[in-house]
Amino acid sequence: GNEQNEIMKTLLSSQTINMIAGYYGIGAISYGDAVRDLVHGDAKEWWFSSNWYEGGKYQRAVHPHMGMHISMVWVVAFNLLNLVTTYCSLPKLDEQSTLSKNQIHNRRHAGVIGNESQGVWDYGYQPVGGLPNLQATKELVGGPKAKPRGIPPSLTEDLSLEHVTQLWNKDAESNSHLWRTLKECIEQGHVYKDDNMSESELLPKPCIYSWVSNLERRLDNPKRLTDKLKPYITYNQGWSAADDNNKLGWVPSSGVGSKFTMEWKKLTQPVRAVTWMIMRSYGEKWEGSTVKVEVWSDGTTLLASESIVGFHDKKTSETYNIKMRLGSVSGDDSDKQQKREEGAVVGSDLKITFELVGGTTFKISGMAICDH
């Protein structure tokens, strides 16, 4: 639709998604890229976009019609088919190959570079299928070492080619517990397995509590959202579930000073980060919208504090993920470093307070209390 009417702003949003997806190595599908020329070539069409031109003038129209839904199915189907055919075109395991199954798996899933690579390697060449034997040595020096585990470092404006490898290795080392394989976890005693347990039963559950409104099954109305929050709310003054404009969320209704508290007693796993899905909107109703969030351990140690803004200057309502990493904000340097690594530790209590400190409204549409 034309909710965002400026083409440059729409393109910036789309290209940002593609850029981040490419950098972190995740898939991205864009319906807008597929139909952009058709829509821009005739802005009055309404097969692929909203019917926003009526009565000789343009008007606000957010939701496209049946043509968009059909086209979207074909765009997704094509990209999934492309993914499957690419994966199925990878070389099969040759029973005569000198490479082990693990080595071939690593080459397939680590950018062709095996996890054993230290910069001198043979690129996996095998004289099969009519290919000739190499006349010279197969070893080539100067190749890249195996990439660090995990995702690349945060894509910031000051990230440079000079420092990216060092930062990636540092992140991989400090977060090594996140990237262990199931086999490694079992060998190191982090996961107990008996012969009757399936692998799915062994998968770790990184979050002690999480929800996303309207995306989870049976979390699609105010009562169900209230029931999801109620077991952990120990204080509430002026917050409740609301479903205005088909956008379900947890909102304040008593103006500035509306406050609620959530608590988890005797944690069974560490909590190192909390993430909020919040809606930002525009107009007089949302002007100045701000919520202050504080995260406490055992009621005495402040692990994180942040004021989250709920308004912006775009003429649209959008959902943002706000992640707060937990670390002590008081005490000496050694205490800060320890808390920064541990967050809320096993056996401690976790308390989180939310207070509306600006504007008249705010909307929380999701939460995640996790170990990373």
Side-chain angles (χ1 to χ4, degrees), residues 230 232-236 261-263 265 351:
K230 187 176 180 179
Y232 303 96
I233 291 181
T234 56
Y235 175 83
N236 184 14
T261 301
M262 302 182 73
E263 294 189 51
K265 301 291 187 181
K351 181 173 75 172

Side-chain angles (χ1 to χ4, degrees), residues 56-73:
K57 62 179 181 179
Y58 289 99
Q59 59 184 357
R60 179 178 179 271
V62 177
H63 194 71
H65 297 286
M66 181 177 65
M68 182 278 293
H69 293 279
I70 296 174
S71 303
M72 178 69 78
V73 170

Side-chain angles (χ1 to χ4, degrees), residues 6 9 12 28 48 81 128 147 154 191 219 230 233 286 307 320-321 344 359:
E6 293 80 7
K9 291 183 178 180
L12 286 174
F48 304 105
L81 179 62
V128 297
K147 69 179 183 181
S154 297
V191 175
L219 193 59
K230 187 176 180 179
I233 291 181
W286 291 85
S307 293
Y320 291 79
N321 288 343

Side-chain angles (χ1 to χ4, degrees), residues 75-86:
V75 169
V76 174
F78 171 81
N79 281 274
L80 291 178
L81 179 62
N82 183 57
L83 175 66
V84 171
T85 54
T86 300

Side-chain angles (χ1 to χ4, degrees), residues 211-228:
W211 58 270
V212 180
S213 63
N214 288 326
L215 288 183
E216 296 184 35
R217 183 181 296 178
R218 297 179 180 174
L219 193 59
D220 55 2
N221 63 56
K223 182 182 183 305
R224 288 174 173 170
L225 179 55
T226 301
D227 292 341
K228 183 75 173 180

